[in-house]
Amino acid sequence: MDTIKYLLQEQDIPKYWYNIQSDLPEPAAPVLHPGTKQPVGPDDLAPLFPMELIMQEVSTEREIEIPEPVRDIYRQWRPTPMYRARRLEQMLDTPARIYYKYEGISPVGSHKPNTAVPQAFYNKQAGVKRLTTETGAGQWGSSLAMACSFFGIECEVYMVRVSYDQKPYRRGLMEAYGASVTASPSNKTNAGRSILAEHPDSTGSLGIAISEAVELAATSDDTKYALGSVLNHVLLHQSVIGLESMRQMEMADDGVDILIGCTGGGSNFAGIAFPFIGKKLRGEGGPRVIAVEPSACPSLTKGKFAYDFGDTAHLTPLTKMHTLGSTFVPPGFHAGGLRYHGMAPLVSHLHDIGEIDAISYNQLQTFRAGLQFAQAEGILPAPEANHAVAAAIEEAEKCREEGVSKSILFNLCGHGNFDMQAYIDYQAGKLVDYEYAEEEIAMALAGLPVV
Amino acid sequence: MDTIKYLLQEQDIPKYWYNIQSDLPEPAAPVLHPGTKQPVGPDDLAPLFPMELIMQEVSTEREIEIPEPVRDIYRQWRPTPMYRARRLEQMLDTPARIYYKYEGISPVGSHKPNTAVPQAFYNKQAGVKRLTTETGAGQWGSSLAMACSFFGIECEVYMVRVSYDQKPYRRGLMEAYGASVTASPSNKTNAGRSILAEHPDSTGSLGIAISEAVELAATSDDTKYALGSVLNHVLLHQSVIGLESMRQMEMADDGVDILIGCTGGGSNFAGIAFPFIGKKLRGEGGPRVIAVEPSACPSLTKGKFAYDFGDTAHLTPLTKMHTLGSTFVPPGFHAGGLRYHGMAPLVSHLHDIGEIDAISYNQLQTFRAGLQFAQAEGILPAPEANHAVAAAIEEAEKCREEGVSKSILFNLCGHGNFDMQAYIDYQAGKLVDYEYAEEEIAMALAGLPVV
């Protein structure tokens, strides 16, 4: 009764990314120019992204070919393993069959390199010399730093001040890959300087860091910007997770009844879920899909489906998404990767048309689930991934109570090696559940742009 | 010109461990009882280890079957990948072919579970309820903690006080697996109490922690002791590394000219090297084998090949090994896994009969090599593994200077995710090379037991 691994061969690394825009019953709402409020064209985005990525952003082709140099690098850790968690099933005494796809074996320990590598590749191809980006906890920043070091591109990361001070290890990793890391808000940009003028002690936010990185890219010729989640092309690149999982479920000779992913910006969730949802949209059937978010940053469960900015300084285009308002600052909880005020437009759209269920958990329940998982399966999950683990355990316990055997698949998007302080705090009883303030969200939502 | 992965199938996980004792031209010196100075028998070791492990310790069978439940757990991360480091070769502009076996994809990030799992298995089979052990940096302790959680055995870890205070993250990981972790020296044992009586502020050492763990096992009925390196059965379990590597070199259709591993107690080095050395001993040819150790703890290059104790309180049997003396306390350098005063008897013996070359590096050179490797290959190595990386790079540079293309294989025994402070200190210029004091070693060697 031990954990079973389902391992694909190198030739099984997908040759094409899957683009869910091809299968939508109605297209997602267009992205709007922040000034004119008219749909943006490719040229509007050209200062920020190379044309190949812009074309992917708006493509409605079902399959987009993965360039060979990108597959060459994917090969280093892909195909990633899928496991049947039989030791966990035993621990839970459940008739459920629990599967997890494990993205933590990438060199930086998460799914983020799946998009960092193609983004660096297309930028290199377009002659870009430098990429700017933002990072919160540092998963994305270290992935882009690694990808840039492979392609010989400079990497400049704006790291939320509070993480910069409290999480020196992720910063150290980015610097090990040769990236330069700046605490945000900084004096290097207008956006940063204006925040600092008003709040000299600002601890920063992802929205502010995005403003800084975007401003730098928009105002330098040889520099572009890279985003680690939310955008359509990022979700597209992550589809390798779900495409591989489908083949691995065939190896396991099993179907999926319940599919689970955690959501911050939406990219790891979309990565595993979109290929399955696409089949469903094409009438071929598919699982119930659950997005799990933290109660402390509940964009899908408590936010509004409306046009909003991606950043605090309102430099980005307007996208229609589930949002808590671009001025919403989530409280200090430990899943740093899930602290974004918005949700990927494609995830939001699919939630809106009823293809995705959303639930939220408080952090104590997720850490409890993560430790249970570690003791059964050996892998200590990232706090973000613990949200998916907690949902899988809850569904497996329901199976036990109801005496039914369902097949549950979740995405274990990363390991927790860089999050030990959170586990130590949890085990020392120092973490508390946070009840977000309804009025804070209401206030942030009241500030949504009028479109 | 990208990194190439050589990936075996699950059915290629070795079914037998390779025992180099079968191929030695002359047997290694016997282990002696500390009181009688006579060779120990199995019964002398029975208070500490289950009989299956004692039999493996003295076996001269070439192949020892790996129990199916152990292979079932190995399957979770084995076979581990072997890579050809073509991006590193390109960076070094070398005609050398550089291969590395990567053990960092195990759940705890190193090769240590290869022996932690069978040790927990055999103890469980023997009805043992609790295992005690010591740990320095924590790689071994977290591996045993994980293995014990799989088999439902209690795990009690004595962690060197200085690491306990300075490396809370590894401690957090052990506790996440349910282990109890005690700073050593502690008040729980006679060995600990007598040290504390004399040195209330003792920061501990691996030798002291071993004394405590051994004492507890020797004085409790349901408790045994587990060691993470040095002993023959530990090296035996690690042979899966080299056995897989041999098959992977066949996949690469290449031979090995130079084989490299870093050495602390000797287990990861033996793991990759012994199957190759065995072929050589059987007259089938093989590579030049290099053991790399830190200049700050140079047991092979500066120690004496003599009988010594494994611990500070002199509770262990006497083994003939390269040693710096059981009272030698290495200075504070960052490769915590390489701080042991002795060297595995089998590695020492093979060095003594000329089968192994030994070299030592100061730490600055090893960190420089580690960063070079990370920027080329994406994986940030553990500081221990950086010693092997540095030797591989030096040999590859020799190839460039001499215009010859050699094949170099080294063991990348773990990742550096839990060692970020060391990298940060290195990049901030805070690390220094340590010149060990000749007289310190001389003094410790003067105290060697008379046999």
Side-chain angles (χ1 to χ4, degrees), chain B residues 289-371:
Chain B
V289 179
I290 306 175
V292 193
E293 60 184 14
S295 303
C297 194
S299 55
L300 274 174
T301 52
K302 300 279 176 183
K304 197 168 162 184
F305 187 43
Y307 272 101
D308 197 5
F309 291 97
D311 71 325
T312 304
H314 296 182
L315 301 176
T316 68
L318 290 163
T319 49
K320 194 170 179 194
M321 59 181 177
H322 278 83
T323 178
L324 297 162
S326 64
T327 59
F328 178 77
V329 179
F333 62 100
H334 274 287
L338 308 179
R339 290 170 57 92
Y340 190 59
H341 70 274
M343 176 56 59
L346 285 172
V347 172
S348 299
H349 180 69
L350 287 160
H351 179 57
D352 191 57
I353 63 174
E355 293 294 335
I356 296 170
D357 292 346
I359 56 173
S360 70
Y361 288 129
N362 253 314
Q363 68 178 355
L364 292 187
Q365 178 174 0
T366 66
F367 276 100
R368 193 161 53 238
L371 285 184

Side-chain angles (χ1 to χ4, degrees), chain B residues 96-117:
Chain B
R97 304 174 315 277
I98 306 175
Y99 299 91
Y100 58 99
K101 177 75 167 167
Y102 183 43
E103 290 291 309
I105 66 160
S106 82
V108 300
S110 81
H111 64 293
K112 293 289 186 189
N114 295 334
T115 185
V117 170

